[in-house]
Amino acid sequence: MSIFSVNSLSDHRVKLPRSFYEQTTVGVAKQLLGKYLVRKHPEGDAIGRIVETEAYVGPRDLACHASKGRTARTEVMFGPAGHAYVYFIYGFYNMLNLVTEAKDYPAAVLIRAVEPVAGIDLMKSRRQLDTLRDLASGPGKLCQAFAVDRSLNGADLCDGLLYVEDRGEPVPKFQATPRVGVDYAGKWTTKPYRYLVRGSKFVSKL
DNA sequence: CAAGAGATCATCT
DNA sequence: GATGATCTCTTGA
């Protein structure tokens, strides 16, 4: 590193503080675009630029698990912001969410896709795939690539091996669409709570 | 390329 | 006992 790095934007790396996650869920979901998901692991670190998120905005949102009430599964969402909510679905896949808003207000943002940035060989071996585009372009895929499973449920994103980093990029241009796979949620099905970085090849689908 | 089925299990009824 | 915030592979145009 040169002495110029002090003033270099490219050196800006700040772990998102809890106050970031305490904002509105929709705000967090949008602002996470262009941030970096970091997974520290004995096998090696994995980093990806977040390109797709979904907001699950609280107890009234019929697509949000917390709309079913406070249970063992949803407990983490009722806790303070800035923790991971990881659950297992379809008998195969883990989903990574980041808990938002105030304690006792259950809401979270689903991380749906990232662009691989570092630890790419590790991701390839975990995914048994060689195609960069397919390594983390979906919520199940990225959990596999980043070795995220239920052992991380409840993990503190402000003090642990999983967190999100701000590298000083502005939030990229994005588009909003309805969320994927929530056809059962009545009027909540069509709410535009899915956010995608415009032009990214690494989103799960258009 | 689009559409459909199957895989497989934690969670809630 | 049903179902799901998914993925992959197969089928057929």
Side-chain angles (χ1 to χ4, degrees), chain A residues 55-76:
Chain A
Y56 288 84
V57 301
R60 301 192 324 283
D61 177 1
L62 295 180
C64 182
H65 291 162
S67 67
K68 308 282 185 268
R70 188 168 191 153
T71 66
R73 182 207 217 184
T74 61
E75 184 62 29
V76 173

Side-chain angles (χ1 to χ4, degrees), chain A residues 27-205:
Chain A
V28 172
K30 292 175 179 174
Q31 292 178 72
L32 279 170
L33 299 175
K35 302 291 191 294
Y36 290 78
L37 179 68
V38 180
R39 170 70 169 124
K40 302 275 190 185
H41 195 281
E43 293 176 339
D45 298 346
I47 303 179
R49 179 172 175 265
I50 298 172
V51 295
E52 180 177 345
T53 60
E54 279 179 1
Y56 288 84
V57 301
R60 301 192 324 283
D61 177 1
L62 295 180
C64 182
H65 291 162
S67 67
K68 308 282 185 268
R70 188 168 191 153
T71 66
R73 182 207 217 184
T74 61
E75 184 62 29
V76 173
M77 270 199 286
F78 285 82
H83 291 254
Y85 167 44
V86 182
Y87 67 93
F88 187 66
I89 190 139
Y90 296 122
F92 284 88
Y93 301 103
N94 293 292
M95 303 277 121
L96 171 62
N97 301 257
L98 312 184
V99 175
T100 58
E101 306 206 32
K103 183 176 181 310
D104 293 321
Y105 189 86
V109 172
L110 171 67
I111 308 298
R112 282 194 60 87
V114 306
E115 171 179 349
V117 170
I120 291 174
D121 288 340
L122 187 53
M123 296 185 203
K124 286 180 176 175
S125 80
R126 285 176 178 149
R127 293 269 300 128
Q128 303 271 311
L129 261 179
D130 211 54
T131 326
L132 193 59
R133 263 184 91 140
D134 295 332
L135 290 180
S137 54
K141 296 178 189 178
L142 84 84
C143 282
Q144 195 179 9
F146 281 69
V148 169
D149 61 30
R150 280 167 299 164
S151 68
L152 286 168
N153 189 41
D156 189 344
L157 302 171
C158 302
D159 179 24
L161 300 176
L162 178 68
Y163 59 92
V164 180
E165 197 170 79
D166 183 352
R167 295 194 175 184
E169 281 180 46
V171 175
K173 294 254 185 293
F174 63 88
Q175 70 183 111
T177 78
R179 294 169 292 185
V180 176
V182 296
D183 293 341
Y184 55 84
K187 72 173 186 186
W188 294 88
T189 297
T190 53
K191 299 263 187 197
Y193 287 166
R194 174 173 176 244
Y195 307 102
L196 307 102
V197 172
R198 274 198 193 276
S200 174
K201 301 176 300 194
F202 298 93
V203 298
S204 65
K205 61 176 89 165

Side-chain angles (χ1 to χ4, degrees), chain A residues 1 17 79:
Chain A
M1 285 297 133

